[in-house]
Amino acid sequence: MSLDLFNSDRPVHTGCLTSRDVARHADLYALTYQFTDNRALVAHLLHEASDLMDAARTLSKVFLEDGWDSTSPASSETPWPTGLTEAQRHGVITLASTCAFNATLFVQEAQRRRIKRAVEGWDPIASPFTD
């Protein structure tokens, strides 16, 4: 199995976004689905952030376990090849850091969007911490 880092053409994976890019993405998503309340939009943003963090975690694992002892009986559990070239290692860690950075921007945008509470009381999205 070969490792293809360029199989994803989504902008959130290929380059570092700006806050403006993520806000534009959120506005376009809200406009497309004509949301009257921000809950669905915030859920979408947090889902994107979760997907990006999963990608970052997997890529970090690939980077850390590169060169792992392939003679070990547990080596068959690894779904990627070992012995990446320096260029591939650089691509893996760059892609992992890009995904993690973009995930933080999606979370920040989700925090910026105002949400009406469904009922009075504590709302884990609008106010996650209690005193």
Side-chain angles (χ1 to χ4, degrees):
M1 175 181 184
S2 65
L3 179 66
D4 182 12
L5 298 178
F6 305 103
N7 63 353
S8 177
D9 58 354
R10 296 183 61 206
V12 294
H13 289 107
T14 57
C16 288
L17 302 177
T18 64
S19 297
R20 183 175 288 173
D21 293 333
V22 177
R24 198 175 301 133
H25 168 91
D27 292 339
L28 182 61
Y29 189 84
L31 182 65
T32 301
Y33 295 101
Q34 299 176 352
F35 293 133
T36 56
D37 138 357
N38 280 337
R39 280 190 180 273
L41 174 60
V42 168
H44 166 73
L45 293 170
L46 293 177
H47 181 73
E48 286 292 319
S50 175
D51 287 350
L52 285 166
M53 286 309 295
D54 284 344
R57 181 179 44 82
T58 301
L59 290 164
S60 296
K61 192 172 181 180
V62 168
F63 183 81
L64 291 173
E65 294 183 0
D66 177 46
W68 183 49
D69 182 13
S70 61
T71 60
S72 165
S75 65
S76 61
E77 298 170 7
T78 321
W80 51 82
T82 56
L84 299 175
T85 65
E86 281 305 309
Q88 288 173 323
R89 285 179 58 79
H90 184 267
V92 166
I93 200 64
T94 301
L95 191 54
S97 63
T98 299
C99 288
F101 176 78
N102 289 344
T104 61
L105 291 179
F106 274 89
V107 170
Q108 288 172 350
E109 183 63 23
Q111 289 174 333
R112 193 179 72 76
R113 300 289 171 146
R114 302 300 296 166
I115 299 174
K116 292 180 183 175
R117 291 184 175 183
V119 294
E120 280 300 313
W122 179 68
D123 186 348
I125 293 177
S127 178
F129 300 106
T130 59
D131 291 10

